[in-house]
């Protein structure tokens, strides 16, 4: 009985692993776009930090999450982490010295 229960759990675990792979791929894609945005901002002299945009993103993701039955505060927490990492990457791009060929 325990073996059957564990093999049943294994199927769920494989499903979770597959979704986690999609989440990681989506995050990698999102961060890649953010790097392109940071390079564009740097070239155009646009300030990196855009507090109004940050707040708008958090609130829109909060609402989007709630539309899918997710807790709004959880969504804000998740996107706070994502945005924190984006800012870290943007800082690296800004601080990088131009490479001379």
């Amino acid at each position: 009985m325990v073996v059957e229960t564990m093999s049943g759990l294994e199927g769920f675990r494989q499903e979770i692993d597959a979704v986690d792979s999609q989440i990681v791929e989506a995050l990698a894609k999102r961060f890649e776009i953010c790097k392109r945005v940071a390079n564009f901002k740097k070239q155009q002299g646009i300030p990196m930090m855009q507090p109004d945009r940050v707040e708008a993103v958090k609130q829109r993701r909060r609402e989007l999450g709630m539309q899918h039955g997710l807790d709004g505060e959880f969504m804000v927490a998740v996107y706070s982490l994502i945005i924190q990492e984006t800012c870290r990457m943007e800082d690296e791009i800004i601080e990088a010295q131009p490479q001379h060929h």
Side-chain angles (χ1 to χ4, degrees), residues 26-37:
L27 282 171
K29 190 180 294 185
R30 188 185 198 283
F31 288 134
E32 191 54 44
I33 295 166
C34 290
K35 287 178 187 176
R36 289 171 25 214
V37 168

Side-chain angles (χ1 to χ4, degrees), residues 32-99:
E32 191 54 44
I33 295 166
C34 290
K35 287 178 187 176
R36 289 171 25 214
V37 168
N39 280 308
F40 179 79
K41 286 180 179 178
K42 185 176 182 177
Q43 290 166 1
Q44 301 297 318
I46 299 169
M48 282 290 166
M49 196 60 189
Q50 310 262 321
D52 292 345
R53 167 74 179 154
V54 168
E55 207 45 49
V57 168
K58 287 182 188 178
Q59 290 313 310
R60 285 206 294 273
R61 299 317 176 259
R62 177 183 210 281
E63 291 163 17
L64 182 62
M66 290 170 70
Q67 289 169 14
H68 289 272
L70 302 175
D71 180 77
E73 294 312 306
F74 168 75
M75 292 301 295
V76 169
V78 166
Y79 273 87
S80 292
L81 278 175
I82 290 171
I83 291 166
Q84 179 182 328
E85 178 62 7
T86 301
C87 290
R88 187 194 66 74
M89 291 186 316
E90 285 186 352
D91 286 343
E92 276 185 6
I93 289 169
I94 287 185
E95 292 167 11
Q97 298 302 316
Q99 295 180 350

